[in-house]
Amino acid sequence: MIAVVGAGLMGAATAWQLARRGHEVTLIEAYAIGHKHGSSHGSSRIVRRAYADPFYVRLTGKAYEQWRELEDDSSTPLLRTTGGLDMGEERDPEAIADLLAAAGVPHEVLGPEAASERWPYIHFTGPVLHHPDAGVVNADETVAACVRRAVEHGARAITGTRVTGIDVRGGEKALLHTDDGREIVADTVVIAAGSWLPDLELPVPLPQLRVTQQQVFHFRQRDPSVRWPTLIWDGELHLYGLPSGSDGGPFPAVKVAEHDRGTPTTARTRDRVVDPASRTRVSGFVRERLPGLEPDPVAEATCLYTTTPDEDFVLDRHGPFVIASACSGHGAKFAPLIGAMAADLATGHADPHPRFRLDRAG
């Protein structure tokens, strides 16, 4: 039996991938499915292929294939194409365009005047990369689809139950202890606990992990009929933007947030209080750069990042454990692919990628 600890995006996707391959799976979640205590809730996440790293450009291509597999298997539309823009004085659209060209990914680079004609509700001051295949996925719907299909494929889902300890039996199996007194024996345990990973005290040498509380803000569109693209801005601020979905309220809105500057915390001690300094910075950016949005947020929320020093993921096997976690604030777009890779590790069908190994930092 393969146990999966954590039913966020990565754990839910792993359980789905394993169950549809015919494996006996037990998915264990400390809260209800779709809870808001971690990093996998909400109505909008960016999917894109524009990375300044050829490794991730290639990986996004594989991820898109897995998103289509999940949509087909669950009969649920999850990917919504909006197009995406990369810009900012510290972003290099031409260099990213070269990487996309090498991978055969459609794209174009526009000057500020041409970009302003196409997207008049955004203020451009430099070159812009347009990537037409970028879009958004609904994290809540993705988790729900994965768990539903995992169960329909034969997985067992245990919710409202926290894993409080894990022992290794004979070096080959794992014994999971839960807060309701259960003891669950598994041949392999996939740990997809996100920001709770450091608290599990696993007999596994983890890399340095940094948990931060991030905040997101939703700004109402001045023109509800406009279809906004996703946005990546690297400059004095490092921000992303995308259509909000239902998190932005009943009227069309755009989610804008800082990718960095999170507040160090833990999964247990986070205070869920939005940083007013971040609100001021993001609202100022919207006022200056995104004139198509009202500059005062209509909704806001906090979430958690669990980040490695190199911002690569952790996806490796150590004894009976597979660690599929610490996705460094950019893993959501890869969820069904990470599920497939974790399933391969759990069943012995693949070796870990060197960039995702537990010991990659020595």
Side-chain angles (χ1 to χ4, degrees), residues 25 75 108 117 171 212 280 304 312 341:
V25 179
S75 300
E108 58 183 328
E117 291 179 5
T212 55
T280 297
L304 296 173
D312 283 338
M341 296 171 73

Side-chain angles (χ1 to χ4, degrees), residues 270-281:
R270 61 181 294 193
D271 61 14
R272 300 179 183 275
V273 176
V274 169
D275 178 6
S278 181
R279 184 191 300 115
T280 297
R281 289 191 297 268

Side-chain angles (χ1 to χ4, degrees), residues 2-154:
I2 302 173
V4 180
V5 178
L9 282 165
M10 308 313 161
T14 302
W16 164 66
Q17 294 279 15
L18 286 166
R20 75 176 183 141
R21 299 180 190 184
H23 296 283
E24 182 183 358
V25 179
T26 299
L27 176 63
I28 308 168
E29 170 53 56
Y31 299 99
I33 300 300
H35 65 83
K36 301 182 183 299
H37 300 284
S39 308
S40 295
H41 59 279
S43 61
S44 56
R45 293 289 191 280
I46 291 179
V47 289
R48 60 189 173 93
R49 299 206 59 192
Y51 267 83
D53 182 336
F55 170 70
Y56 280 106
V57 175
R58 291 192 299 272
L59 211 63
T60 57
K62 296 179 180 179
Y64 271 57
E65 294 172 5
Q66 291 296 324
W67 279 109
R68 298 308 183 192
E69 289 274 347
L70 176 56
E71 288 183 319
D72 289 344
D73 186 63
S74 65
S75 300
T76 305
L78 297 168
L79 271 176
R80 183 164 67 89
T81 302
T82 64
L85 305 178
D86 286 67
M87 53 192 167
E89 58 268 22
E90 293 184 14
R91 200 73 170 163
D92 190 340
E94 289 87 356
I96 298 173
D98 289 342
L99 295 177
L100 295 182
V105 179
H107 66 280
E108 58 183 328
V109 177
L110 300 89
E113 291 185 2
S116 295
E117 291 179 5
R118 194 176 304 185
W119 300 282
Y121 42 87
I122 300 172
H123 178 52
F124 299 97
T125 56
V128 180
L129 172 77
H130 175 229
H131 160 34
D133 290 338
V136 296
V137 297
N138 185 308
D140 289 336
E141 290 181 357
T142 300
V143 169
C146 285
V147 174
R148 173 174 59 81
R149 287 303 289 153
V151 170
E152 290 171 352
H153 283 302

